[in-house]
Amino acid sequence: MAFGPVSSAGEKFERLTAIMARLRSPEGCPWDREQTFASIKPYLLEETYEVLDAIDAGDWPELCEELGDLLLEVVFFAQMAREAGHFDVAESLDAINEKLVRRHPHVFADGDAATPEQVKVRWDEIKA
C-alpha cells in the first residue's frame, strides 16, 4: 500500500493499519516492535485523558488530534492481536457495527423509542 494522500475515511483507516503493520514488521521501528499489550496500556490511558481534556476545554482542533492519537492506540492493540492470531481490526469493526445495529432497533428495525430515555431503557434491555 502506498503511503501517499488518500481521500475517504475507509482509505485513511486502511492507511493507518498499513502504517502500523509496517512499524511492527521486522523492517519497522525497533520501539514499536518491542511493545506488548501491557506496555501500551499506559499510552491508551494517557490518550484517553487527553481526549477528555480537549473536550473539557472545548478545543476542537486539539480534540481532532487527540482522537487520532486514541485511534492509534486502538490500531496498535489490534495489530498486536492480529500478530498473535487472536483477531484483526476488521473483526473489531464487525463487532461494533453489529452491536450498534442490534442496540438501535428503533433506527435499523421495527423497534420503537421516541425519547432518549426510551432509548436508554431499550439499550440496557438489549445489553442484558
Side-chain angles (χ1 to χ4, degrees), residues 20-21 33 47 52-53 68 80 91 93 98 100 104:
M20 179 50 63
R33 280 195 315 267
E47 296 304 341
L52 297 175
D53 287 344
M80 290 187 292
E91 292 172 84
L93 292 168
E98 291 167 11
L100 287 172
H104 291 86

Side-chain angles (χ1 to χ4, degrees), residues 35-47:
Q35 298 312 303
T36 66
F37 290 98
S39 70
I40 292 297
K41 282 173 47 177
Y43 299 103
L44 175 63
L45 187 59
E46 176 183 336
E47 296 304 341

Side-chain angles (χ1 to χ4, degrees), residues 1-80:
M1 170 176 266
F3 294 104
V6 292
S7 58
S8 76
E11 290 170 327
K12 291 176 184 190
F13 188 79
E14 286 182 20
R15 180 175 185 236
L16 175 58
T17 61
I19 290 169
M20 179 50 63
R22 183 163 178 191
L23 289 171
R24 293 273 302 170
S25 76
E27 300 79 31
C29 173
W31 185 89
D32 289 294
R33 280 195 315 267
E34 79 173 8
Q35 298 312 303
T36 66
F37 290 98
S39 70
I40 292 297
K41 282 173 47 177
Y43 299 103
L44 175 63
L45 187 59
E46 176 183 336
E47 296 304 341
T48 301
Y49 281 121
E50 290 175 359
V51 165
L52 297 175
D53 287 344
I55 292 169
D56 289 345
D59 188 337
W60 309 122
E62 184 69 13
L63 178 59
C64 178
E65 183 175 331
E66 295 303 339
L67 287 173
D69 292 348
L70 184 59
L71 185 57
L72 168 63
E73 299 308 323
V74 171
V75 169
F76 209 138
F77 280 112
Q79 177 62 32
M80 290 187 292

Side-chain angles (χ1 to χ4, degrees), residues 75-104:
V75 169
F76 209 138
F77 280 112
Q79 177 62 32
M80 290 187 292
R82 181 177 166 269
E83 293 164 6
H86 300 307
F87 61 88
D88 67 19
V89 73
E91 292 172 84
S92 293
L93 292 168
D94 285 341
I96 191 57
N97 287 334
E98 291 167 11
K99 182 184 289 184
L100 287 172
V101 170
R102 184 177 65 253
R103 293 194 182 169
H104 291 86

